[in-house]
mmCIF file of all heavy atoms in Angstrom:
data_model
loop_
_atom_site.group_PDB
_atom_site.id
_atom_site.type_symbol
_atom_site.label_atom_id
_atom_site.label_comp_id
_atom_site.label_asym_id
_atom_site.label_seq_id
_atom_site.Cartn_x
_atom_site.Cartn_y
_atom_site.Cartn_z
ATOM 1 N N VAL A 15 65.740 38.865 152.559
ATOM 2 C CA VAL A 15 65.025 37.750 153.199
ATOM 3 C C VAL A 15 63.519 37.978 153.207
ATOM 4 O O VAL A 15 62.744 37.109 152.778
ATOM 5 C CB VAL A 15 65.544 37.537 154.639
ATOM 6 C CG1 VAL A 15 64.733 36.422 155.317
ATOM 7 C CG2 VAL A 15 67.016 37.182 154.616
ATOM 8 N N ALA A 38 35.848 25.001 143.486
ATOM 9 C CA ALA A 38 34.772 25.211 144.457
ATOM 10 C C ALA A 38 34.972 24.358 145.702
ATOM 11 O O ALA A 38 34.019 23.913 146.325
ATOM 12 C CB ALA A 38 33.407 24.913 143.826
ATOM 13 N N GLN A 42 39.495 19.870 147.307
ATOM 14 C CA GLN A 42 39.912 19.493 145.955
ATOM 15 C C GLN A 42 41.226 20.176 145.572
ATOM 16 O O GLN A 42 42.047 19.600 144.855
ATOM 17 C CB GLN A 42 38.813 19.859 144.947
ATOM 18 C CG GLN A 42 37.559 19.013 145.054
ATOM 19 C CD GLN A 42 37.809 17.558 144.713
ATOM 20 O OE1 GLN A 42 38.684 17.233 143.904
ATOM 21 N NE2 GLN A 42 37.047 16.667 145.326
ATOM 22 N N LEU A 45 43.856 18.273 147.272
ATOM 23 C CA LEU A 45 43.983 16.985 146.591
ATOM 24 C C LEU A 45 44.790 17.138 145.304
ATOM 25 O O LEU A 45 45.586 16.263 144.941
ATOM 26 C CB LEU A 45 42.587 16.421 146.277
ATOM 27 C CG LEU A 45 42.485 14.925 145.971
ATOM 28 C CD1 LEU A 45 42.923 14.098 147.176
ATOM 29 C CD2 LEU A 45 41.058 14.564 145.581
ATOM 30 N N PHE A 55 52.948 23.004 141.474
ATOM 31 C CA PHE A 55 54.057 23.944 141.569
ATOM 32 C C PHE A 55 54.353 24.625 140.232
ATOM 33 O O PHE A 55 54.981 25.691 140.208
ATOM 34 C CB PHE A 55 55.299 23.245 142.121
ATOM 35 C CG PHE A 55 55.257 23.059 143.609
ATOM 36 C CD1 PHE A 55 55.027 21.818 144.167
ATOM 37 C CD2 PHE A 55 55.410 24.145 144.447
ATOM 38 C CE1 PHE A 55 54.976 21.651 145.544
ATOM 39 C CE2 PHE A 55 55.351 23.992 145.831
ATOM 40 C CZ PHE A 55 55.132 22.747 146.378
ATOM 41 N N LEU A 88 40.756 37.464 139.280
ATOM 42 C CA LEU A 88 40.582 36.458 138.226
ATOM 43 C C LEU A 88 39.993 35.173 138.795
ATOM 44 O O LEU A 88 39.101 34.565 138.190
ATOM 45 C CB LEU A 88 41.924 36.168 137.556
ATOM 46 C CG LEU A 88 42.473 37.231 136.601
ATOM 47 C CD1 LEU A 88 43.882 36.874 136.160
ATOM 48 C CD2 LEU A 88 41.560 37.384 135.383
ATOM 49 N N ILE A 90 38.145 34.847 141.532
ATOM 50 C CA ILE A 90 36.756 35.077 141.945
ATOM 51 C C ILE A 90 35.834 35.165 140.728
ATOM 52 O O ILE A 90 34.751 34.563 140.699
ATOM 53 C CB ILE A 90 36.666 36.360 142.798
ATOM 54 C CG1 ILE A 90 37.399 36.153 144.126
ATOM 55 C CG2 ILE A 90 35.207 36.732 143.055
ATOM 56 C CD1 ILE A 90 37.601 37.427 144.916
ATOM 57 N N LEU A 144 45.840 53.457 147.125
ATOM 58 C CA LEU A 144 47.105 52.750 147.281
ATOM 59 C C LEU A 144 48.247 53.509 146.607
ATOM 60 O O LEU A 144 49.353 53.623 147.143
ATOM 61 C CB LEU A 144 47.005 51.345 146.681
ATOM 62 C CG LEU A 144 46.327 50.249 147.512
ATOM 63 C CD1 LEU A 144 46.353 48.931 146.757
ATOM 64 C CD2 LEU A 144 47.018 50.085 148.866
ATOM 65 N N ILE A 206 46.610 33.455 127.054
ATOM 66 C CA ILE A 206 47.008 34.821 126.698
ATOM 67 C C ILE A 206 47.899 34.822 125.460
ATOM 68 O O ILE A 206 47.750 35.653 124.558
ATOM 69 C CB ILE A 206 47.749 35.487 127.874
ATOM 70 C CG1 ILE A 206 46.794 35.689 129.054
ATOM 71 C CG2 ILE A 206 48.353 36.830 127.442
ATOM 72 C CD1 ILE A 206 47.476 36.221 130.298
ATOM 73 N N SER A 256 24.816 18.561 121.863
ATOM 74 C CA SER A 256 25.179 17.480 122.797
ATOM 75 C C SER A 256 24.547 16.143 122.420
ATOM 76 O O SER A 256 24.260 15.321 123.293
ATOM 77 C CB SER A 256 24.761 17.862 124.229
ATOM 78 O OG SER A 256 25.388 19.047 124.639
ATOM 79 N N LYS A 278 17.470 4.704 113.310
ATOM 80 C CA LYS A 278 16.931 4.211 112.035
ATOM 81 C C LYS A 278 17.657 4.859 110.856
ATOM 82 O O LYS A 278 17.957 4.185 109.855
ATOM 83 C CB LYS A 278 15.433 4.509 111.962
ATOM 84 C CG LYS A 278 14.749 3.943 110.728
ATOM 85 C CD LYS A 278 13.251 4.229 110.761
ATOM 86 C CE LYS A 278 12.570 3.680 109.507
ATOM 87 N NZ LYS A 278 11.107 3.966 109.521
ATOM 88 N N PHE A 313 44.562 26.883 115.733
ATOM 89 C CA PHE A 313 44.262 28.121 116.441
ATOM 90 C C PHE A 313 44.797 28.067 117.870
ATOM 91 O O PHE A 313 45.275 27.037 118.341
ATOM 92 C CB PHE A 313 42.751 28.374 116.451
ATOM 93 C CG PHE A 313 42.199 28.812 115.122
ATOM 94 C CD1 PHE A 313 41.802 27.877 114.182
ATOM 95 C CD2 PHE A 313 42.081 30.150 114.815
ATOM 96 C CE1 PHE A 313 41.301 28.265 112.949
ATOM 97 C CE2 PHE A 313 41.573 30.557 113.584
ATOM 98 C CZ PHE A 313 41.187 29.613 112.653
ATOM 99 N N LEU A 336 28.209 28.211 97.883
ATOM 100 C CA LEU A 336 26.918 27.906 97.260
ATOM 101 C C LEU A 336 26.278 29.135 96.621
ATOM 102 O O LEU A 336 25.457 29.003 95.704
ATOM 103 C CB LEU A 336 25.969 27.302 98.298
ATOM 104 C CG LEU A 336 26.309 25.886 98.767
ATOM 105 C CD1 LEU A 336 25.328 25.434 99.835
ATOM 106 C CD2 LEU A 336 26.298 24.908 97.599
ATOM 107 N N ASP A 369 17.582 33.463 111.344
ATOM 108 C CA ASP A 369 16.299 33.317 112.029
ATOM 109 C C ASP A 369 16.571 32.817 113.443
ATOM 110 O O ASP A 369 16.751 31.630 113.666
ATOM 111 C CB ASP A 369 15.419 32.327 111.252
ATOM 112 C CG ASP A 369 14.040 32.169 111.866
ATOM 113 O OD1 ASP A 369 13.562 33.119 112.503
ATOM 114 O OD2 ASP A 369 13.449 31.075 111.712
ATOM 115 N N ARG A 404 17.007 27.588 95.247
ATOM 116 C CA ARG A 404 17.506 26.526 96.099
ATOM 117 C C ARG A 404 18.097 27.149 97.366
ATOM 118 O O ARG A 404 18.622 28.261 97.338
ATOM 119 C CB ARG A 404 18.567 25.708 95.373
ATOM 120 C CG ARG A 404 17.983 24.857 94.253
ATOM 121 C CD ARG A 404 17.074 23.767 94.831
ATOM 122 N NE ARG A 404 16.756 22.764 93.834
ATOM 123 C CZ ARG A 404 15.586 22.640 93.233
ATOM 124 N NH1 ARG A 404 14.603 23.482 93.540
ATOM 125 N NH2 ARG A 404 15.383 21.688 92.350
ATOM 126 N N LEU A 443 31.075 17.764 138.096
ATOM 127 C CA LEU A 443 29.844 18.540 138.052
ATOM 128 C C LEU A 443 28.792 18.021 139.015
ATOM 129 O O LEU A 443 27.998 18.790 139.547
ATOM 130 C CB LEU A 443 29.261 18.521 136.630
ATOM 131 C CG LEU A 443 30.002 19.318 135.563
ATOM 132 C CD1 LEU A 443 29.399 19.058 134.192
ATOM 133 C CD2 LEU A 443 29.972 20.798 135.874
ATOM 134 N N TYR A 450 24.216 12.043 139.689
ATOM 135 C CA TYR A 450 24.758 11.813 138.350
ATOM 136 C C TYR A 450 23.775 11.013 137.504
ATOM 137 O O TYR A 450 23.547 11.329 136.335
ATOM 138 C CB TYR A 450 26.095 11.091 138.459
ATOM 139 C CG TYR A 450 26.833 10.969 137.148
ATOM 140 C CD1 TYR A 450 27.293 12.097 136.477
ATOM 141 C CD2 TYR A 450 27.079 9.724 136.580
ATOM 142 C CE1 TYR A 450 27.976 11.994 135.273
ATOM 143 C CE2 TYR A 450 27.759 9.611 135.373
ATOM 144 C CZ TYR A 450 28.208 10.743 134.731
ATOM 145 O OH TYR A 450 28.873 10.632 133.537
ATOM 146 N N VAL A 485 21.638 16.852 106.620
ATOM 147 C CA VAL A 485 22.782 16.281 107.332
ATOM 148 C C VAL A 485 22.582 16.540 108.822
ATOM 149 O O VAL A 485 22.557 17.692 109.256
ATOM 150 C CB VAL A 485 24.109 16.911 106.867
ATOM 151 C CG1 VAL A 485 25.289 16.227 107.549
ATOM 152 C CG2 VAL A 485 24.236 16.854 105.360
ATOM 153 N N ASP A 524 34.034 7.537 108.235
ATOM 154 C CA ASP A 524 34.363 8.391 109.371
ATOM 155 C C ASP A 524 35.114 9.632 108.897
ATOM 156 O O ASP A 524 35.997 9.546 108.032
ATOM 157 C CB ASP A 524 35.209 7.628 110.387
ATOM 158 C CG ASP A 524 34.473 6.432 110.970
ATOM 159 O OD1 ASP A 524 33.231 6.419 110.900
ATOM 160 O OD2 ASP A 524 35.136 5.511 111.499
ATOM 161 N N PHE A 535 29.278 17.741 99.658
ATOM 162 C CA PHE A 535 29.402 18.245 98.291
ATOM 163 C C PHE A 535 29.789 17.113 97.346
ATOM 164 O O PHE A 535 29.257 16.994 96.238
ATOM 165 C CB PHE A 535 30.464 19.342 98.222
ATOM 166 C CG PHE A 535 29.974 20.711 98.620
ATOM 167 C CD1 PHE A 535 28.786 20.882 99.302
ATOM 168 C CD2 PHE A 535 30.711 21.840 98.299
ATOM 169 C CE1 PHE A 535 28.347 22.134 99.668
ATOM 170 C CE2 PHE A 535 30.283 23.112 98.652
ATOM 171 C CZ PHE A 535 29.102 23.252 99.339
ATOM 172 N N LYS A 610 -1.527 46.577 114.369
ATOM 173 C CA LYS A 610 -1.858 45.411 113.567
ATOM 174 C C LYS A 610 -0.854 45.258 112.427
ATOM 175 O O LYS A 610 -0.421 46.244 111.838
ATOM 176 C CB LYS A 610 -3.279 45.539 113.003
ATOM 177 C CG LYS A 610 -4.350 45.663 114.086
ATOM 178 C CD LYS A 610 -5.744 45.840 113.487
ATOM 179 C CE LYS A 610 -6.781 46.008 114.601
ATOM 180 N NZ LYS A 610 -8.155 46.216 114.049
ATOM 181 N N GLU A 616 7.184 37.793 120.770
ATOM 182 C CA GLU A 616 7.276 38.317 122.130
ATOM 183 C C GLU A 616 8.482 39.241 122.306
ATOM 184 O O GLU A 616 8.605 39.902 123.336
ATOM 185 C CB GLU A 616 7.330 37.166 123.134
ATOM 186 C CG GLU A 616 6.025 36.385 123.209
ATOM 187 C CD GLU A 616 6.039 35.313 124.279
ATOM 188 O OE1 GLU A 616 7.099 35.130 124.917
ATOM 189 O OE2 GLU A 616 5.003 34.670 124.489
ATOM 190 N N ARG A 626 10.457 54.313 123.033
ATOM 191 C CA ARG A 626 10.097 52.906 123.208
ATOM 192 C C ARG A 626 8.872 52.804 124.106
ATOM 193 O O ARG A 626 8.826 53.380 125.191
ATOM 194 C CB ARG A 626 11.278 52.141 123.807
ATOM 195 C CG ARG A 626 11.096 50.649 123.852
ATOM 196 C CD ARG A 626 12.414 49.967 124.181
ATOM 197 N NE ARG A 626 13.357 50.109 123.072
ATOM 198 C CZ ARG A 626 14.631 49.738 123.132
ATOM 199 N NH1 ARG A 626 15.116 49.234 124.248
ATOM 200 N NH2 ARG A 626 15.420 49.885 122.083
ATOM 201 N N GLU A 645 -0.703 61.540 116.286
ATOM 202 C CA GLU A 645 -1.123 61.978 114.962
ATOM 203 C C GLU A 645 0.056 62.518 114.161
ATOM 204 O O GLU A 645 0.784 63.409 114.588
ATOM 205 C CB GLU A 645 -2.205 63.057 115.085
ATOM 206 C CG GLU A 645 -2.787 63.467 113.736
ATOM 207 C CD GLU A 645 -3.983 64.383 113.885
ATOM 208 O OE1 GLU A 645 -4.482 64.520 115.017
ATOM 209 O OE2 GLU A 645 -4.395 64.953 112.873
#
Side-chain angles (χ1 to χ4, degrees):
V15 177
Q42 290 295 330
L45 198 62
F55 282 106
L88 286 173
I90 293 169
L144 280 181
I206 294 175
S256 301
K278 185 177 179 181
F313 287 87
L336 289 178
D369 183 28
R404 290 293 193 254
L443 289 173
Y450 188 64
V485 184
D524 298 339
F535 277 16
K610 300 178 182 179
E616 292 184 356
R626 188 168 291 173
E645 186 172 349

